[in-house]
Structures are given as C-alpha cells and as structure tokens.
Amino acid sequence: MFSGKWTRSRALWISAITLILVATAGLIIRSREAAEPPQVPFSDLLRDLDRGVVAGVVVNGDTLEIKLADGKVMRTVAPANYAAANSTFIPELASKHVRIEVRNAPDQTPYSYGALALGLVFVGFLGFTLYRVTTGHIPALESRTREAGPESTSVTFADVAGVDEAKEEVKEIVDFLRQPDRFAAIGGRIPKGVLLVGPPGTGKTLLARSIAGEAKAPFLFASGSDFVEMYAGVGASRIRKLFRDARRHASCIVFIDELDAVGRSRGSNSLSHEEREQTLNQLLVEMDGFAPNQGVVVIAATNRPDILDPALLRPGRFDRQVTVGAPDVKGREQILRIHARKVAVDPEVDLHLIARGTSGFSGADLANLINEAALLAVRAGRSVVMASDLDQARDKVLMGVERRSLTMTEHDRLTCAYHESGHAVVAALLPDADPLHKVTIIPRGLALGVTMQLPEGDRYTHTREYLEAQIAILMGGRVAEELFLRQMTSGAGNDIERATGIARRMVCEFGMSSLGPLAYHTPDGPWETDRGAGLSEATAQRVDEEVRELVMRGYEAARQIVAKHRASVRAMAEELLVVESLDADGIRAIMASSSAPAA
Ligand code: ADP
C-alpha cells in the first residue's frame, strides 16, 4: 500500500535527522568540554600579572583566556569594558610583555554551524509538512488515487464474460467517452454516476476497467475505504483531490470501489461519523459540481446498495444502477474460457462440465480455480492442465486447502468419521437435498472433516423443504456422534450455528413459519439494518420459539434417519477411516451395499 511506504520513508527521514542532531549536539558538548579551560576569579589574573607569570592573554570581549608561563591555560571574565582598547588594562599587559591576542567574534566551532544548518532544515521540514497538512496535501494520505497504468486500460469487453446485461447497459458510456461533444450536440443526457451492484468477485472492477479500456480513457481508481480516516477533513480533501485529478484527465472514468464504506447513510451512530458525513457531503458536492458533458463518469461498486445514503442515488449522482450478478452456467463457461486461454489446458478438458459443477462460483473464484489447477499441474511436473487438476482445484477453492500435516488423535478421527457420515447419510436420503459431491476426514481449512454437496443446476430460490433438509443434514453430524459414540463434541458448533441461522431467516425473512409472511427484522439480527422496526417482546419470544421448533424438527428428522440407517453410517465411517475421502460414486456404493431398509 502506498500509505505504508510513505509513512515508513517519512519515519526514516525523521529518525535520520534526529540522529544527526543528537550526534552533533553530543560532539559539540564533548568538544566544548575538552577545549574549555577552567574558569578562575578575575583576582587570580591580577595576582598572576603581579607575579609576572602570565605569558599571554586572549581578549574576547570581556572574556579573557590566560596562558601562564608554565603552560597552564585558564579563563576569566573581566568587569564590563575593563579589557576595552581605551582602558588601562591593555597598556599594562604590554608593559609586562604579555602576548596579547584579540578576538572579536565569540568562539564558533564548525559543529555549531552544522547544528544551526540542520536545525534550520528541520524547522523547514516541519513547516513544509504542516503547510501540506493544512492545505490537504498529506503525503501519507494522498496518492491513493492512482492513475491506472496502460495495463489496466488494456482490458476490454472481451475480457469480461457472464454479465452481458450489465455490459449492454454500460456500452453507451463508452460511446460517450469517445465522443462527448457529439453527445452534447444531440442533447443526450449521460449519467454522471453508475452504481455497479453485486457480490464480491463478480467482475465489477473488471467491468469498469473494460469501459475505460474500450474508450481508451484514463482510469482513476479509488476505494471507499481510502476515504475513511480518523482525522476530520482528510477524507473530504482526498475526494477533492480525486475529482481535481479527474477533471484534469477528462474524458475519464473515476472508479470508487466499496462505495458503502463512505456512502453509508448519515446519522448512523458510528464512531467516526462526523468525518464520514463530511466525506460523503464532499462526494455529493463534487458530483453535483461538474457538468454532465465534462467527460467525467463516476463508476462505483458496492454489494450493499441498501445501506447507501439515499442522497447518493438521487438524479445527477449515482442515478443508474447496474446489477452485476453471479454468473450462470453459460457465463461460467465463458469466464473459464477467458482464463483458460492464459494457461495451457489439455484440449480434452470439457469446460462446460466444469462450469456445471461450479454453481455459485463468482468470476474471481473461477479465475482462482484455473490458477490453482495450473499450479497443481506444474507441481505434478506436467506441461498442460488436465481435468483432474481442475477437479482438485475446485475442491480446494470450495473446501479450503487440505491440512494433511495436522495430526489428529485416533479418537478425533473416529469422531470425525462418524460425524461426517451422519451428514452424508442424511443428505443422501433426503429427497430435497442437493446431491453429495464428497465426504472427507482430511482436515481442510478450519474444518476437521467436510461433507460437500453440489447443486445440480443453479438455484436462485430455495423451497421450504430444501431449507428444512439443510437443517436436518447439519444436525446429522451431532446425531451420529450421539448415537454411535454416546458423546457430544464442540465439533458440531459450526453446524449448529448455520442451522440456527437458516431457521432464523426462514422465520424472519422468508415467512415460513406460523408467524406468517412478515419481515421480523430484529435490531441485532444477522443483518445490519436501520429499517427494522422494533419487535414487541411477545413477538420476539415467538420468533425464538419458532426458530427452536424448526431446528428441533430438523434434529428429529436426522435422528430418525440415522437410527434407521445405522448400518450405512457405520459402513461409511469405517470406510472413511481407511480411505479418508469418498466421492459421489463411493458414497453411492456404500449406501447400496449397506442394505439400508427401504425408507
Ligand atoms: P469485484 O470488483 O466485483 O469484486 P473483480 O473485478 O475485482 O471483482 O474480479 C476479480 C477478478 O476475477 C478479475 O480480475 C477477473 O480475473 C476475475 N473475474 C471476475 N468476474 C469476471 C468476469 N465476469 N469475467 C472474467 N473474469 C472475471
């Protein structure tokens, strides 16, 4: 990050200067101490003169340095003007054949000159920094908006796939950026601001870049979080700078990632909310400040349009919203193709098949998948990516990296095997559940074991039965542990959390309980919401009861299935202890051979 580099180099400067100053001061003090002769009373000088033991005197204003015949050197201070040229002192010295030397300026060592120079530099530096801070040029904080180099503007629409509607919508911006005058002549109104809305990794930044690339316009990138600072006014000054740069580079694209970081509704009681409000106001002012034909188009991205301040969405600001959703099968295949072009993929590989098995993957996930597969191929010493690499990479992206180095005790492995078998058997037997993809007791990511299901097609909505099945599957692990090992472990914690989450959403969001089709947002619910009306005490209690009811029903369903199909659970757990991982075919074989009674 820029800020890191800047503050580091500044700190380096300051410490270097301090070091030099301290060293110089030390040297001066030492040299002074070494050179300074001892000071004696003035009467000593008079006495020594009388005795005739003074060899020489250096007169330096009223300070006299006395050199005795025996080589001793001392210093004394004479009364004011005592040693002046017109006093009797000098002739007296001369009469006694004392060597007289006169110095006008006070003693100056080269060190003190150095210290003075350094001091001036230091003060100058401080003044300069202060000036920059007060005028909004804060070295540590500016340069966050970078002009994209030619590489980022070389992205074109061909590099973005699976978001055809969004592309269609932003095409006219490209035309506008190419010929702003023509647009103005016709009188067409081009939106000043476009808000790209969609989950992370779906290609919002990429799309914005490709607009700039297509129009061959400069691309100014900023992230909403860059503007969130502790110091009041800093965020606002950075917004000003961003737009100043933009106007200089028109026609151009200004891209603000994570707009929600600055654009959150005002009035929410966050810590630095004054600062945020100031920043947001500045953004609104800047957006109002340029004319539509000035050639600046502001594109912002967010995945939380609901929490944005409504003022941002008014006409003349981000008045156009473009949804950039997760890609469907066709989109995924195209995205895979784009990224597969960059690596050597075996021509036998069927990307369509992989697209079908990666439901729910975002563009970024798919790019990551291809990259992981390439790494696996390299590790295996192959020069092309095979289908098996892609399969393995998908599991890695889906379930996290295998942690084979984690040593589990035998009992942990046993627990894990029964736990995962419980999930898998319940999933295999519930008609509304997604088909099983894999069961493993090799630790992956944070989990000790994983039961993985993959939907057959893309699912956009879920039925009540599907969600209930989901809860039952999550309970299957705990149930199997209870029935086979007579134990409860903390391993079911995450399952329980997820099951409760699903149940709560069923009640509060999806209207799937006896409370009816109403939205029961609770202030401390799983969503940050300012809209949620407060729940009455009685309703809150009923919500809790309904949630409990749903989870317990899932638990009972799982219990019945596991109890009835003990043989399958046992067979699968025992197999897992040997082979550690089972794929869909392996699971099917066990389910078929363990002679489960007809459901
Ligand atoms: P977002 O801004 O929506 O979080 P990004 O644009 O940063 O997502 O996407 C990250 C990376 O994922 C991109 O650089 C690109 O490699 C890949 N990617 C995401 N979406 C797509 C897409 N629709 N087509 C091609 N590649 C994509």
Side-chain angles (χ1 to χ4, degrees):
M1 278 278 286
F2 264 91
S3 67
K5 223 168 107 196
W6 249 108
T7 19
R8 225 178 305 135
S9 71
R10 201 163 57 152
L12 216 72
W13 263 103
I14 292 177
S15 29
I17 290 174
T18 318
L19 203 76
I20 294 172
L21 280 179
V22 168
T24 320
L27 276 172
I28 291 167
I29 291 166
R30 271 197 57 191
S31 65
R32 280 264 164 93
E33 273 174 358
E36 289 292 272
Q39 184 153 355
V40 294
F42 185 61
S43 57
D44 280 18
L45 170 63
L46 297 181
R47 187 194 64 211
D48 290 342
L49 274 175
D50 282 346
R51 279 200 211 145
V53 292
V54 177
V57 171
V58 180
V59 182
N60 190 347
D62 293 331
T63 307
L64 307 174
E65 201 176 291
I66 309 149
K67 195 164 184 191
L68 297 186
D70 59 3
K72 252 195 233 152
V73 180
M74 293 163 309
R75 206 160 52 96
T76 191
V77 181
N81 297 327
Y82 189 87
N86 52 5
S87 76
T88 57
F89 183 59
I90 300 292
E92 190 189 339
L93 287 180
S95 70
K96 293 199 165 146
H97 304 290
V98 173
R99 187 183 133 87
I100 307 165
E101 211 177 301
V102 180
R103 280 190 204 148
N104 281 330
D107 252 6
Q108 288 289 10
T109 63
Y111 295 119
S112 44
Y113 283 123
L116 190 71
L118 276 172
L120 281 177
V121 168
F122 190 64
V123 169
F125 177 77
L126 273 182
F128 182 61
T129 310
L130 215 71
Y131 163 77
R132 283 169 71 87
V133 169
T134 47
T135 51
H137 294 279
I138 300 136
L141 312 171
E142 64 182 16
S143 351
R144 292 274 188 102
T145 50
R146 305 172 280 272
E147 266 173 74
E151 97 286 342
S152 42
T153 41
S154 66
V155 179
T156 66
F157 279 156
D159 297 305
V160 194
V163 285
D164 294 339
E165 294 91 347
K167 260 203 264 185
E168 228 17 82
E169 289 218 36
V170 297
K171 262 193 185 136
E172 62 179 33
I173 297 176
V174 175
D175 296 335
F176 165 67
L177 285 174
R178 279 191 185 147
Q179 301 161 307
D181 305 335
R182 246 194 75 204
F183 258 81
I186 299 173
R189 202 179 75 84
I190 274 292
K192 280 185 189 175
V194 179
L195 188 62
L196 302 178
V197 178
T202 44
K204 297 182 291 297
T205 315
L206 193 70
L207 186 65
R209 278 222 161 87
S210 70
I211 297 172
E214 287 281 335
K216 300 204 173 32
F219 181 79
L220 279 83
F221 177 94
S223 173
S225 51
D226 293 350
F227 303 114
V228 181
E229 288 291 338
M230 262 164 58
Y231 308 106
V234 173
S237 90
R238 240 185 261 159
I239 296 256
R240 262 197 305 276
K241 178 171 183 322
L242 175 65
F243 279 85
R244 206 168 43 226
D245 286 352
R247 271 189 284 266
R248 219 176 34 227
H249 288 102
S251 309
C252 71
I253 297 262
V254 173
F255 180 71
I256 305 178
D257 206 359
E258 303 172 55
L259 181 67
D260 40 293
V262 260
R264 229 164 243 269
S265 320
R266 285 169 286 191
S268 58
N269 51 346
S270 71
L271 269 179
S272 59
H273 98 114
E274 284 239 346
E275 151 68 356
R276 181 174 318 191
E277 205 161 294
Q278 213 175 335
T279 312
L280 176 56
N281 284 337
Q282 189 63 42
L283 178 61
L284 296 173
V285 167
E286 293 288 348
M287 291 215 53
D288 291 339
F290 61 85
N293 57 358
Q294 235 174 325
V296 178
V297 176
V298 188
I299 301 182
T302 181
N303 57 348
R304 297 294 309 273
D306 52 317
I307 60 166
L308 289 183
D309 196 286
L312 272 173
L313 309 175
R314 294 220 181 96
R317 294 160 185 171
F318 294 101
D319 48 4
R320 178 165 313 183
Q321 282 200 25
V322 175
T323 308
V324 184
D328 58 8
V329 181
K330 209 172 112 236
R332 287 199 299 273
E333 190 180 337
Q334 287 164 355
I335 295 174
L336 282 170
R337 254 178 233 301
I338 287 175
H339 291 280
R341 255 190 268 139
K342 297 172 196 160
V343 297
V345 178
D346 183 14
E348 296 286 290
V349 170
D350 184 356
L351 289 179
H352 178 69
L353 208 67
I354 297 179
R356 272 186 45 194
T358 45
S359 175
F361 273 48
S362 69
D365 291 334
L366 294 169
N368 188 14
L369 183 147
I370 297 275
N371 189 46
E372 288 291 343
L375 292 180
L376 287 170
V378 170
R379 211 174 300 160
R382 267 181 271 109
S383 55
V384 288
V385 175
M386 317 272 286
S388 60
D389 297 325
L390 289 161
D391 270 347
Q392 224 179 318
R394 178 181 58 179
D395 286 354
K396 195 167 160 186
V397 174
L398 268 177
M399 310 193 271
V401 187
E402 287 186 5
R403 283 164 64 208
R404 282 183 187 274
S405 58
L406 188 80
T407 42
M408 289 205 280
T409 63
E410 264 320 297
H411 187 73
D412 277 344
R413 282 189 80 225
L414 188 75
T415 305
C416 189
Y418 276 97
H419 185 103
E420 296 307 326
S421 302
H423 287 313
V425 169
V426 176
L429 291 165
L430 281 176
D432 293 297
D434 287 327
L436 280 157
H437 169 62
K438 196 166 211 167
V439 186
T440 171
I441 58 164
I442 301 170
R444 270 175 186 277
L446 288 177
L448 293 183
V450 180
T451 300
M452 187 73 231
Q453 297 163 266
L454 273 185
E456 265 168 345
D458 292 347
R459 281 183 190 267
Y460 298 105
T461 56
H462 299 295
T463 60
R464 178 183 172 148
E465 290 72 24
Y466 175 85
L467 295 171
E468 284 175 347
Q470 221 49 37
I471 296 177
I473 295 166
L474 286 165
M475 291 293 133
R478 157 62 56 95
V479 166
E481 281 186 57
E482 280 180 352
L483 288 185
F484 285 89
L485 307 170
R486 312 241 162 266
Q487 66 176 21
M488 288 186 191
T489 63
S490 58
N494 181 255
D495 298 338
I496 292 173
E497 195 181 318
R498 280 167 56 198
T500 314
I502 295 174
R504 189 165 282 279
R505 294 191 70 182
M506 287 173 72
V507 175
C508 298
E509 277 187 72
F510 309 146
M512 293 179 182
S513 74
S514 69
L515 285 172
L518 279 89
Y520 295 107
H521 295 290
T522 57
D524 55 347
W527 323 272
E528 255 180 89
T529 166
D530 305 322
R531 302 165 293 178
L535 286 189
S536 73
E537 196 67 28
T539 317
Q541 204 168 352
R542 280 188 65 199
V543 167
D544 289 342
E545 278 162 17
E546 288 287 339
V547 171
R548 190 186 129 78
E549 169 77 25
L550 275 171
V551 175
M552 287 317 289
R553 231 187 292 150
Y555 178 82
E556 259 324 302
R559 204 179 164 82
Q560 277 179 19
I561 293 174
V562 172
K564 194 165 170 190
H565 299 268
R566 290 181 84 99
S568 298
V569 179
R570 175 163 290 140
M572 195 179 296
E574 277 166 8
E575 184 71 11
L576 275 176
L577 285 170
V578 180
V579 300
E580 297 199 327
S581 280
L582 287 168
D583 58 12
D585 290 337
I587 297 167
R588 227 170 286 136
I590 289 177
M591 294 302 292
S593 67
S594 55
S595 65

